[in-house]
Every structure is written in C-alpha cells, then in structure tokens.
Amino acid sequence: MNRVYIKTYGCQMNERDSEQVASSLRDRGYSIVDNEHDADVVLLNTCSVRDQAEQKAIGKAGYLKKRKVENPNFLLGVMGCMAQNRGSELIDRLPDLDLVVGTQKFHRVPDHLDNLIQSMNGQGPRPSSIVDLAEEAGSQNTIRDHIGKQGQVSAYVSIMQGCNMNCAFCIVPKTRGRERARPIEEIVDEVTGLAESGVKEVTLLGQIVTSYGRRDFPVVGGKSPFVQLLEKINDIRGIERIRFTSPHPRGFKQDLVEAYRDLPKLCEYVHLPLQAGCNKTLRAMNRPYTKERYLEIVESLRKVVPHMYFSTDIIVGFPGETEEDFDESAKFFEEIGYDMAYVFKYSIRTGTPAEVMPDQIPTEEKERRNQVLLDILHKSSLKRNESLLGTTQQVLVEGPAKKGDKFTGKTRGFRTAIFDADERLIGQLVDLKVDRATVSSLYGDIELAGVER
Ligand code: SAH
Ligand code: F3S
C-alpha cells in the first residue's frame, strides 16, 4: 500500500519539486518506485505552460483511473501547476482523483496520503478527495531535501518561487504565485551538503532567478542578492560548476555580467529568454526590453567571455504577429546565433491578457514559423559544434550514455559529449579532445594523464 510512483511533466522546477515530494515520502516510510505498474499510488506533477502539457496529464489521469476498477485501494493524485491552475474544476472533470495539491503545498503530500490511507483502512472518516491549493507563507523554504542518489554528480537547487512579471502569454504568475526567495544562508547550507555528498555541479532554479531576493535582501557593494548568492556558492569547496535557470534579460546588469568574468565556477552558458526579436511583438507581450537592449546584453557578455554560449526561449505565432514581424524576429534570432533554443508555438492560456487579443495565428502558420526557427537553430548549433573540432573541452563525466557502451557528460558550454570511459571517472572533470561533431553531440577521446582513477 505504500509504493508511490511520481510522474513529472514540464520544467526543471517541477523535477525538483518531485524530488522534494519523493524525499519527504521516503522519510515517512513510503517507497518510491520507478514504474507506474508497481505502484499503489501515482502522483502526476503537472505543467500548465502550454495546452499540450495539460492535455497529456489529463489523458494520463483518465487512463490511470481505470486502475481503481481492479484495485479499489489505488490512489491517484495531481500536483503542481495544473492543479493550481484548474483547481476544483479538475475534480469535476476527473471525479476519481483522490488528491489535488497546489504549488505551495508539496510538503503536505505525506500527511494527505497518510490520511487517505488511514481512512481507507477504516481508521478515520473517508474523505472523498483532498484538495489543497491555498497559498502558504514560507512554502519556498520547503523545497530543500534531496533523495541522495548514489554517485549523483549534478543537482538542482530551488532558490525562489513565483514571478511578479506579467508577460501577456504566461500562466506562471497564476500557477506559481508572487516572488518569494529563500534566505542565502539556507541555500548555501544546502549546496554545501550536496558538495559533501559528492555533487560537483548545481543548477539554481526559479521562475525568474535574476530577481532573487530583490525586495527582501539589500544590494551590497553594487551587487544584487542574486550575484551575492552566486559569489557565496562559488566559494563552496567541492562545487566545480554553477548554472542557473531561468533568468530575465532585465536582470543582466553590470554586476551579473562581471560575475561571468570573476567567478570561475560560473559556466559560460547563458539561457537568455528572448520570446520575440521584434519590438512590436515584445511590446504586445509586455516584455520590458527592446531587441536593441537584448543585443547590448549579449555583446556585454561576449565582451567578458568571447566564446560565451547562448540559449533562449522564443514564441512563434503570438497574436498579431504578422509575417513581417516574424521575419524580423527570425532575422534577429539568426543574428544572435544561438547554441540552443526552445522554440514554442504560442498556446492560448485562459485568463492571460493574450487570450483575448485579436488576430490569433492559425496552427499551420505557427507550424511553419516553428520550422523556420528550428532550421536556423540547427545551422548555428552545428556551426558551433564544428568550431570545436580539434579543441580540448573540459567535460564533467555523468555516467553511461543511453545507447552503446560509451559514457556521456557535458562541457561547460552545455554541449553533450560522448566518449569511452569507465565507472571510476563518473563525477570527474576530464579533458576531451574533440574529433567529431554533430548538431547534438561532440565525440572524442579523453586525456587520462592527471585524472584520478
Ligand atoms: N521563466 C520561466 C518561464 C516559464 S515558461 C521559467 O523558465 O521557469 C517557459 C517558456 O515557455 C517561456 O519562456 C516561454 O517561451 C514559453 N511559454 C510560456 N507561455 C507560453 C504560451 N502561452 N505559449 C507558448 N509558449 C509559452
Ligand atoms: Fe512567465 Fe514572463 Fe515570469 S515568461 S514566468 S511571466 S518573466
């Protein structure tokens, strides 16, 4: 009765929240299984950013509820963004749901499951279902425990929750609430613990990490709380690499640009969400910058690190985006020359300002624009990988590659590397001599001189 399977949809933040739920359930005596068929309880941690993500989870829940026919004790729960976004409407649509838990209540999951199970065993009144969607002050501080996977090399660390921006297309401020930061010391303690358990790389997470603590903690020596946090983490022994996602272009002031020059562990890979490369569309999206300002940021970062890697989020087919607007956007996208990008077809989100904007773009046209950007990305990404032929790249060895008997790891620029290695090299930084490059991966041999084995 205590085997739980958690399925996660969406972003890294969701993966991190699921880890927290798994860790707290394990502490409570539940066992976490990695196959839904072996589970007595299935929890879906959901995403609301685009309609497709919601439909997938709804479809899955519809399929899983059939398990109740064979096993009346089977429990099904929905957590996270879709739970928050759709609330009790979900119960109307899926009356078999036992548990609906919002984004500020992940830490309550063990209590709720205990209650459901006790009542099933006749030890309490049987709640038909539990719905827990309230806001909770301090809930950002509850995402802090790790499962402690053996040999874990890289870990996510949640530093803040919520977003106060109002991008016209985005549901996140509704699903995740207002910005709330964790204290610097608590984050530093968490990362120190991870380093002691062998983690070498941390990725700091938040919906808008560059706004971290901006209203709670002071600017010190011209440095924002986010940059202060980066500096403290850079000082932690054992941590070799720092990454973060997702920032906002607005957060790239001189202090953050200089952090790339001054903090050796901060990897030279910047995810800088563009959304559109046309000022008219940016304005309609309520994004507070122009493409000229964006280019200035890119140039200032390339000035401190000439080979800086860039990735982005961009939306095609935002309402009112004409062909000329799109061409302008595509041209700008090409001009930056991204190493990586997430291209999204605009998806209507109920309750956002863009929902009611005129001139929605037909699906086929969104499809076409999507393909145009993917083709541009393919070229620039391949060009970058080919430029690395013959160079030596530092790689953090993660483990066996999915296929074959090779190993995999990432360069500082977040390129995937594939090479021969063995288990003893997992978690180590090695030098890879690149001798083959495709759009997605770099191949070569690692230099073993100087590596601990
Ligand atoms: N800063 C947040 C952004 C969340 S949404 C974070 O990464 O945590 C991630 C990306 O999804 C956005 O940057 C945007 O490009 C895309 N997106 C958000 N709402 C969308 C919508 N309605 N349709 C299509 N793409 C969307
Ligand atoms: Fe969404 Fe814009 Fe915030 S994309 S998460 S409202 S910065």
Side-chain angles (χ1 to χ4, degrees), residues 327-383:
D327 289 346
E328 189 185 330
S329 224
K331 196 160 155 261
F332 188 74
F333 182 81
E334 188 162 21
E335 187 182 330
I336 300 288
Y338 291 102
D339 298 290
M340 174 63 200
Y342 301 89
V343 182
F344 301 110
K345 289 169 266 181
Y346 171 71
S347 168
I348 297 186
R349 306 286 63 213
T350 307
T352 61
E355 178 198 5
V356 291
M357 287 184 183
D359 304 319
Q360 298 283 335
I361 310 300
T363 310
E364 315 77 72
E365 181 57 18
K366 285 188 213 168
E367 228 27 280
R368 186 190 72 80
R369 294 179 188 181
N370 187 53
Q371 200 51 51
V372 171
L373 293 191
L374 290 181
D375 290 345
I376 296 173
L377 173 64
H378 189 98
K379 284 197 201 102
S380 63
S381 186
L382 182 62
K383 187 167 150 208

Side-chain angles (χ1 to χ4, degrees), residues 213-230:
R214 68 187 161 136
R215 271 163 303 128
D216 308 305
F217 315 127
V219 169
V220 177
K223 288 172 185 161
S224 66
F226 182 60
V227 172
Q228 294 169 41
L229 177 66
L230 291 176

Side-chain angles (χ1 to χ4, degrees), residues 11 13 49-50 169-172 206-208 246-247 273 275 313-315 344-349:
C11 64
M13 192 86 60
V49 159
R50 284 166 296 279
F169 48 81
C170 188
I171 197 75
V172 170
Q207 278 84 20
I208 179 159
S246 218
Q275 312 301 1
D313 289 346
I314 185 164
I315 296 176
F344 301 110
K345 289 169 266 181
Y346 171 71
S347 168
I348 297 186
R349 306 286 63 213

Side-chain angles (χ1 to χ4, degrees), residues 196-354:
E196 284 164 359
S197 74
V199 166
K200 299 285 167 55
E201 174 181 83
V202 286
T203 303
L204 310 180
L205 298 180
Q207 278 84 20
I208 179 159
V209 285
T210 39
S211 293
Y212 168 80
R214 68 187 161 136
R215 271 163 303 128
D216 308 305
F217 315 127
V219 169
V220 177
K223 288 172 185 161
S224 66
F226 182 60
V227 172
Q228 294 169 41
L229 177 66
L230 291 176
E231 288 181 343
K232 292 239 161 67
I233 294 179
N234 190 72
D235 288 341
I236 296 175
R237 260 187 65 181
I239 295 298
E240 306 278 4
R241 290 178 168 187
I242 306 169
R243 304 183 186 280
F244 57 80
T245 200
S246 218
H248 193 287
R250 222 172 81 145
F252 282 80
K253 310 265 160 51
Q254 205 50 31
D255 59 338
L256 182 52
V257 172
E258 285 171 5
Y260 282 93
R261 183 194 64 197
D262 300 337
L263 304 180
K265 296 177 182 175
L266 185 57
C267 290
E268 55 273 31
Y269 174 91
V270 182
H271 179 69
L272 196 59
L274 173 65
Q275 312 301 1
C278 153
N279 290 342
K280 187 193 119 198
T281 312
L282 284 170
R283 218 174 311 118
M285 289 176 160
N286 198 25
R287 296 284 293 184
Y289 52 87
T290 57
K291 64 178 190 183
E292 290 78 17
R293 170 64 193 139
Y294 185 98
L295 184 61
E296 236 172 66
I297 296 169
V298 168
E299 282 170 350
S300 63
L301 286 161
R302 281 187 176 143
K303 208 157 144 201
V304 294
V305 184
H307 65 286
M308 187 70 91
Y309 291 75
F310 286 95
S311 112
T312 202
D313 289 346
I314 185 164
I315 296 176
V316 298
F318 185 76
E321 184 187 60
T322 63
E323 269 197 42
E324 295 76 62
D325 298 338
F326 171 71
D327 289 346
E328 189 185 330
S329 224
K331 196 160 155 261
F332 188 74
F333 182 81
E334 188 162 21
E335 187 182 330
I336 300 288
Y338 291 102
D339 298 290
M340 174 63 200
Y342 301 89
V343 182
F344 301 110
K345 289 169 266 181
Y346 171 71
S347 168
I348 297 186
R349 306 286 63 213
T350 307
T352 61

